[in-house]
Amino acid sequence: MNSSLSVSPQSVADRIIVPLDVPTEDAAIALIDTLPEVRFWKVGLELFVSSGPSILDYLKRHQKKIFLDLKLHDIPNTVAGACRAAGRYGVDLLTVHAANGRVGLKAARAAVAEGAERAGVEPPKIIAITVLTSLSARELAFDLKIPLELPEYALQMALLAQESGLSGAVCSPQEVGQLRQICGDDFLLVCPGVRPKGSVLGDQQRSLTPGEAIAGGADRLVIGRPITAASDPAAAFESICQEIAAVV
């Protein structure tokens, strides 16, 4: 278990990132207002393409932490340009694909720092996508023709990110224990695909419960539909906080 974070109610809430997986800024604001207890929100491709950086401004005005999950993947120069632009937003986390390769990852790290310095803000921590949690081992092998077993491939992608100077990685809960053991306590590990007991898995192929993921070494959990689609979202969020508090 990673015990680098305190066990105060505030720090427990900080370990849960709730996605704003909605198509418009108005819908996002409504969700934020419905869950004032949530301290950390994820803005992904759909909402960012729809609303642009104005939703980031709204979150910052309300003292929320921001995970800008754009999963950038392109040639190094293009990824660097996007990271330079994103660096000025003052967000907390930013994702790029580890499959950008060593040159691309190093370019991203340098560019995001440059953009943040120009804007006079703290640079976001860049974390690398290892393997999408929607992918199964069979798809990795047969569709993508990756010759490694899925856990080994996820580990290699995380190590590449670490060696390139990135702050952490995104991985499924089923790989987080191995990554924590090998990458060490200072490497930030964020786990999507987390589902409380009894929840529908949906498109998540490699899931664990929040307590299991935290016990395995995750620093942050991305949990969407079990909270946002619950009949009582605030109660669902509180229940997950209690489950996490019991294992940290």
Side-chain angles (χ1 to χ4, degrees):
M1 178 174 64
N2 179 20
S3 58
S4 61
L5 301 176
S6 70
V7 193
S8 70
Q10 177 174 311
S11 69
V12 169
D14 279 348
R15 299 185 80 157
I16 303 170
I17 304 174
V18 179
L20 288 167
D21 288 340
V22 292
T24 67
E25 184 171 356
D26 287 344
I29 290 172
L31 184 55
I32 295 163
D33 292 345
T34 298
L35 286 163
E37 304 88 352
V38 174
R39 299 169 52 82
F40 214 139
W41 291 93
K42 179 174 85 74
V43 175
L45 277 172
E46 181 182 16
L47 181 58
F48 191 75
V49 171
S50 169
S51 72
S54 62
I55 187 61
L56 308 180
D57 293 335
Y58 181 88
L59 287 164
K60 286 191 290 183
R61 288 198 303 272
H62 288 78
Q63 291 79 53
K64 304 296 184 181
K65 293 184 177 181
I66 304 169
F67 175 19
L68 185 56
D69 186 25
L70 300 183
K71 297 181 175 71
L72 299 169
H73 190 191
D74 212 310
I75 63 172
N77 188 60
T78 300
V79 169
C83 286
R84 189 174 296 108
R88 68 173 186 262
Y89 293 142
V91 303
D92 299 277
L93 300 176
L94 174 69
T95 50
V96 300
H97 271 281
N100 279 294
R102 195 179 307 272
V103 172
L105 295 177
K106 289 184 175 182
R109 178 172 57 86
V112 82
E114 181 184 342
E117 183 178 9
R118 289 179 181 178
V121 298
E122 286 293 317
K125 293 181 178 179
I126 303 184
I127 57 177
I129 304 297
T130 55
V131 184
L132 295 174
T133 54
S134 60
L135 282 174
S136 67
R138 179 178 177 82
E139 288 170 317
L140 190 74
F142 287 93
D143 295 342
L144 302 185
K145 307 301 181 187
I146 301 296
L148 301 177
E149 294 293 328
L150 195 151
E152 183 182 356
Y153 182 69
L155 174 61
Q156 292 305 313
M157 293 295 97
L159 288 172
L160 177 61
Q162 188 174 46
E163 292 164 3
S164 301
L166 271 60
S167 298
V170 179
C171 64
S172 93
Q174 293 187 7
E175 289 100 55
V176 73
Q178 181 187 32
L179 267 60
R180 174 60 65 209
Q181 181 179 10
I182 294 175
C183 296
D185 288 341
D186 294 332
F187 195 62
L188 180 67
L189 294 175
V190 176
C191 289
V194 176
R195 293 289 184 266
K197 287 182 180 179
S199 296
V200 176
L201 292 180
D203 55 3
Q204 303 299 336
Q205 297 292 325
R206 309 191 315 281
S207 184
L208 292 178
T209 68
E212 289 169 339
I214 291 292
D219 292 299
R220 302 280 189 272
L221 309 179
V222 180
I223 307 176
R225 284 164 284 186
I227 296 172
T228 59
S231 57
D232 186 340
F237 179 75
E238 176 59 25
S239 176
I240 294 170
C241 285
Q242 291 176 1
E243 180 179 344
I244 291 172
V247 298
V248 295

